[in-house]
């Protein structure tokens, strides 16, 4: 079974993939006021990983690489540093809890492997969402009363793409 993670300090998406079966595709919402700081969010993430270990036999962990460059109007240096720090903590927790070294794949590489096309200038998260709606019947979406996908849907979608890309990378490595 593969665990795919899209790590963020606001909403972390996670997917458990067993062969072609999506066992679980969910989110950990860390925007709640009870998560006062970075440490509370880390504890909540660790608890989630421990629950996953109790329920499932994870054999591989794939994590979306964090941004390493700033894009104009997108992420500040502070945001990138915070995400890298949180990604490192969750990566270590994965190793500590599962005794598995996580592997990393960039969002761009994962999308390409899975077959998601991102036209120039398009919103990549929306493209991933649309791709999964069209091609992945196991990807379930809840909508708000206004007809929009609920918060965390794009994070769940990204974690599914990361898990599927990890699976493909492993298949490609074993066939060579």
């Amino acid at each position: 079974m593969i665990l795919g993670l899209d790590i963020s300090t606001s909403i972390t998406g996670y997917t458990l993939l067993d062969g072609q079966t999506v066992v679980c595709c969910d989110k950990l919402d860390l925007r709640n006021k009870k998560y006062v700081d970075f440490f509370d969010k880390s504890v909540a993430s660790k608890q989630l990983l421990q629950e996953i270990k109790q329920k499932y036999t994870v054999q591989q962990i794939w994590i979306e690489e964090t941004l390493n460059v700033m894009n104009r109007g997108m992420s500040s240096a502070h945001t990138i540093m915070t995400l890298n720090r949180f990604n490192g903590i969750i990566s270590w927790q994965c190793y500590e809890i599962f005794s598995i070294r996580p592997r990393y794949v960039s969002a761009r590489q994962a999308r390409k492997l899975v077959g998601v096309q991102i036209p120039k200038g398009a919103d990549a998260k929306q493209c991933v969402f649309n791709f999964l709606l069209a091609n992945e019947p196991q990807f379930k979406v809840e909508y708000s009363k206004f007809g929009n996908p609920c918060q965390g849907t794009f994070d769940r979608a990204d974690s599914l793409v990361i898990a599927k890309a990890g699976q493909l990378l492993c298949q490609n490595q074993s066939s060579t």
Side-chain angles (χ1 to χ4, degrees), residues 2-5 13-17 22 24-26 156 159-160 163:
I2 293 175
L3 172 60
L5 295 169
Y14 63 95
T15 295
L16 287 149
L17 190 61
V22 177
C24 175
C25 184
D26 208 345
R156 291 176 42 247
S159 73
L160 178 53

Side-chain angles (χ1 to χ4, degrees), residues 46-169:
K46 186 173 186 175
Q47 289 171 341
L48 171 66
L49 292 171
Q50 289 168 330
E51 289 171 16
I52 290 171
K53 177 156 174 68
Q54 288 177 348
K55 292 181 185 175
Y56 305 103
T57 304
V58 174
Q59 294 148 330
Q60 296 176 38
I61 301 170
W62 287 86
I63 298 175
E64 181 180 309
E65 284 181 350
T66 57
L67 296 172
N68 55 11
V69 295
M70 290 186 291
N71 294 327
R72 180 170 284 195
M74 298 292 265
S75 298
S76 68
H78 180 268
T79 301
I80 291 172
M81 287 174 45
T82 301
L83 285 171
N84 278 323
R85 184 173 40 174
F86 197 60
N87 191 304
I89 289 170
I90 305 309
S91 294
W92 176 254
Q93 289 174 348
C94 286
Y95 178 70
E96 184 179 54
I97 292 167
F98 295 98
S99 299
I100 296 171
R101 285 181 162 86
R103 296 198 243 172
Y104 304 88
V105 60
S106 71
R108 177 175 283 165
Q109 182 185 14
R111 293 173 188 142
K112 185 177 179 181
L113 282 165
V114 174
V116 180
Q117 302 285 325
I118 312 291
K120 188 171 181 145
D123 180 354
K125 294 221 179 249
Q126 187 67 50
C127 291
V128 167
F129 175 73
N130 292 340
F131 176 86
L132 289 177
L133 285 179
N135 297 288
E136 185 53 65
Q138 297 176 85
F139 182 67
K140 304 297 180 206
V141 180
E142 292 180 24
Y143 292 93
S144 70
K145 63 182 177 182
F146 302 108
N148 300 316
C150 290
Q151 287 286 326
T153 299
F154 289 172
D155 304 284
R156 291 176 42 247
D158 285 345
S159 73
L160 178 53
V161 168
I162 293 298
K164 285 184 166 287
Q167 183 179 54
L168 290 168
L169 285 167

